[in-house]
Amino acid sequence: MKPLTEQEIRAAFVNCTKGEAKRLAVPRDLADRPWDDLDYLGWRDPQAPDRGYLVVELEGRPHGVALRCSSAAVGQQRRSMCSLCLTTHSGGVSLMVAPKAGKPGKQGNSVGAYICSDLDCSLYVRGKKDAGVGARLHETLTVEEKIGRTVANIASFVAKVTAA
């Protein structure tokens, strides 16, 4: 993924108002992000832990999605699988719900997916971050094929958010 500026990130959001995009907490460490290893930029809002954001480049331009995240239940250690990168975690996957873009979103329609709670799917797929024992199921796919699958899953999720 190519590095993005704060202005590009704020302008990319498809499922919130311009005012909401202007107020959301953009990471301060954009220059330090491992952009070459990212399929999308994802982060949780430190001031509002139930909010997350992801920005992915599709068709040559960034698309941002605001997410509502379920809070993890205390003591919950059930193993769950991320629907984007297929990494399994003990308590590290959250149901994240995105309001649909446009009129359907204003009517309360949303799209949900189980996603890595820290939104670091790109790093798990590449083996740059470890989710613990048994986190990656044995597959015969190459890392490039796993990356392609993750990108396709992200694009599918964003397409569901933007569908009328």
Side-chain angles (χ1 to χ4, degrees):
M1 180 172 188
K2 76 173 189 72
L4 298 172
T5 65
E6 181 177 340
Q7 293 77 22
E8 290 172 316
I9 292 168
R10 291 186 189 285
F13 281 88
V14 298
N15 68 336
C16 63
T17 66
K18 288 181 183 180
E20 289 169 330
K22 185 178 180 180
R23 290 186 300 273
L24 64 85
V26 174
R28 302 222 183 272
D29 63 345
L30 291 176
D32 299 329
R33 295 284 171 138
W35 292 100
D36 291 339
D37 293 324
L38 296 181
D39 303 310
Y40 67 91
L41 174 64
W43 72 99
R44 298 285 291 261
D45 186 336
Q47 310 308 322
D50 66 329
R51 293 186 185 267
Y53 306 97
L54 67 86
V55 179
V56 62
E57 192 172 322
L58 299 171
E59 300 169 358
R61 65 182 192 89
H63 291 72
V65 176
L67 304 162
R68 287 282 185 160
C69 312
S70 62
S71 57
V74 176
Q76 178 185 2
Q77 290 301 312
R78 186 180 71 218
R79 190 163 280 288
S80 301
M81 181 181 284
C82 173
S83 62
L84 299 182
C85 68
L86 306 186
T87 299
T88 60
H89 300 267
S90 290
V93 174
S94 299
L95 174 61
M96 299 202 185
V97 178
K100 292 191 79 164
K103 187 175 180 182
K106 290 178 183 160
Q107 294 173 335
N109 297 319
S110 59
V111 177
Y114 287 95
I115 303 174
C116 293
S117 298
D118 57 9
L119 295 163
D120 279 341
C121 296
S122 303
L123 302 179
Y124 291 120
V125 169
R126 288 167 173 78
K128 307 251 178 189
K129 194 168 183 182
D130 184 19
V133 177
R136 300 295 311 171
L137 301 175
H138 176 71
E139 297 181 285
T140 58
L141 298 175
T142 65
V143 172
E144 289 75 23
E145 290 170 323
K146 292 175 187 177
I147 291 168
R149 177 181 60 200
T150 301
V151 169
N153 290 341
I154 295 164
S156 175
F157 179 71
V158 173
K160 289 174 188 172
V161 172
T162 59

